[in-house]
Amino acid sequence: MLAEFKFGNLEGCSEAYERDGAFIVRDVLDLEFLEELNRHIDWLIERNPDLATETLGHWMVAQDPFWVRFVSDHRLLDVAESLVGPNIAFFAADYIAKKPRTGQALLWHQDANYWPLEPMEVVTIWFAVSESNRENGCVKVIPGSHRLGLLEHFAETRIVNVLSSEVDLSGIDESKAEYVELNPGDISVHHPHTIHGSEANISDRWRRGGSIQYLPTTTHVTKPWPCTFLFRGEAVRGVDNDYKPKPKYVAGEHMSFKGCEAWR
C-alpha cells in the first residue's frame, strides 16, 4: 500500500517517495477552496467549449490570476518543499476533469517522456476536487516503477485516451498497480518516472482534479514554456528559466475569487 500522511505531518514522505515513487497526503485543501476550484473548472469549460474537459491545460495558467493563486497556495508549496527544497519554481498545471460516463482514460505513461526539463528533477502533485475512486477513473500507479528510468513510449490511438500514447510495459508486472483513491481536498504525489494512468469514467459522477508540477530552481526548462513562475526562495545563477510576472486581476475578464482585490 502507498504510504499516507496527514497534512502538517509529512515526516517520512521523502523516504516513501524514494521507495515507491508516490504517496498520499490527506486533507490538504479546505471545502471553501474546493468550491472555488469547482467554479473555476465550470468557468473554463464555459469559455472553452471546443476543449475536452480532460485538457484544460497549462498554456492558460499564466494569464489567469485565480489559477496562479491556486498553484501558489502555501499548503501545496509546503508539500513540494518537502521533496524539492526551499527554492521552488512552478512548471505546469492542468485540470483533468472526466465527465460522467464519457470521461477519457489516460493510458500507462511516465510524465518525464513529455517534458523539456534538465535534469528531470520535478515533482507532480495530483489534487482531488471531487471524490476520485476506481469507478470514476482515479489515478493508478505501479509502485517502485520510477527506479526503471525512462522507458519507451509509443503512439496509441486505437483506444480513446487523453495522451494518444502509452509506455512499453514489456517485463513489468501490471498486477502490482495500486489505485489512488482520494477524497475531495486530498492529494497524491508522484515521481516523473513513476508509471501511472487512469481508466475511463464509467460512473454517473464527475471525476474532477488535475496535476501540478513543481521544480527545484536548479532544473532548467530547456524549451520556451508559457507558464514558469518562481514561487518560493531564489533563482539559481546560470539556470536561465523565463519566470513570468504574476497576472493582474481584471473584473469582467477573469473569474472573481476570494482575495482577488489584492491581485489588481
Side-chain angles (χ1 to χ4, degrees):
M1 294 290 291
L2 293 181
E4 296 190 14
F5 301 89
K6 191 84 168 179
F7 181 68
N9 184 11
L10 297 175
E11 184 177 356
C13 72
S14 59
E15 290 83 358
Y17 185 75
E18 182 176 350
R19 180 184 66 245
D20 297 326
F23 62 86
I24 293 169
V25 186
R26 301 291 185 187
D27 300 323
V28 178
L29 302 175
D30 61 86
L31 179 60
E32 182 181 15
F33 197 53
L34 291 171
E35 290 173 351
E36 286 201 309
L37 287 173
N38 260 315
R39 188 161 57 87
H40 191 229
I41 292 170
D42 289 335
W43 186 85
L44 288 170
I45 290 171
E46 181 179 348
R47 282 156 180 77
N48 298 277
D50 296 331
L51 283 181
T53 59
E54 295 89 350
T55 61
L56 299 170
H58 59 274
W59 61 90
M60 296 186 281
V61 172
Q63 305 304 318
D64 188 322
F66 174 76
W67 217 332
V68 176
R69 181 265 174 269
F70 165 39
V71 297
S72 61
D73 189 277
H74 70 92
R75 294 166 291 191
L76 299 172
L77 295 181
D78 286 349
V79 176
E81 183 170 340
S82 69
L83 298 173
V84 305
N87 300 313
I88 304 173
F90 166 82
F91 175 64
D94 300 88
Y95 288 119
I96 308 172
K98 297 185 181 185
K99 291 180 178 179
R101 295 288 177 186
T102 61
Q104 297 181 34
L106 279 85
L107 302 183
W108 290 117
H109 66 282
Q110 297 168 299
D111 292 339
N113 181 65
Y114 308 95
W115 293 338
L117 301 175
E118 179 61 40
M120 189 54 66
E121 293 178 358
V122 54
V123 63
T124 290
I125 287 179
W126 203 99
F127 58 93
V129 178
S130 68
E131 184 179 10
S132 183
N133 54 36
R134 293 179 65 161
E135 186 180 24
N136 68 2
C138 70
V139 173
K140 54 184 180 178
V141 305
I142 300 180
S145 57
H146 62 301
R147 293 192 293 272
L148 299 171
L150 184 60
L151 303 176
E152 183 179 1
H153 289 62
F154 55 88
E156 177 54 86
T157 57
R158 294 169 297 176
I159 301 169
V160 176
N161 69 96
V162 175
L163 297 173
S164 299
S165 62
E166 186 172 24
V167 71
D168 183 359
L169 287 178
S170 300
I172 296 172
D173 186 357
E174 191 176 341
S175 70
K176 293 182 178 179
E178 293 190 21
Y179 288 88
V180 185
E181 296 191 297
L182 304 177
N183 297 316
D186 293 345
I187 67 170
S188 62
V189 182
H190 66 261
H191 189 281
H193 288 142
T194 296
I195 297 174
H196 65 291
S198 63
E199 294 165 9
N201 183 1
I202 62 172
S203 77
D204 293 323
R205 297 172 289 108
W206 277 91
R207 193 222 66 174
R208 291 188 169 197
S211 64
I212 309 169
Q213 284 74 42
Y214 297 104
L215 315 168
T217 57
T218 49
T219 292
H220 182 211
V221 183
T222 61
K223 295 182 179 179
W225 197 255
C227 57
T228 47
F229 289 90
L230 178 61
F231 281 156
R232 186 175 285 181
E234 299 178 347
V236 173
R237 180 177 296 181
V239 179
D240 187 22
N241 289 333
D242 180 21
Y243 296 126
K244 312 297 184 186
K246 291 184 179 180
K248 300 292 186 182
Y249 170 75
V250 179
E253 180 179 339
H254 300 121
M255 187 191 84
S256 62
F257 57 95
K258 184 178 180 180
C260 61
E261 298 81 5
W263 289 71
R264 292 185 186 275

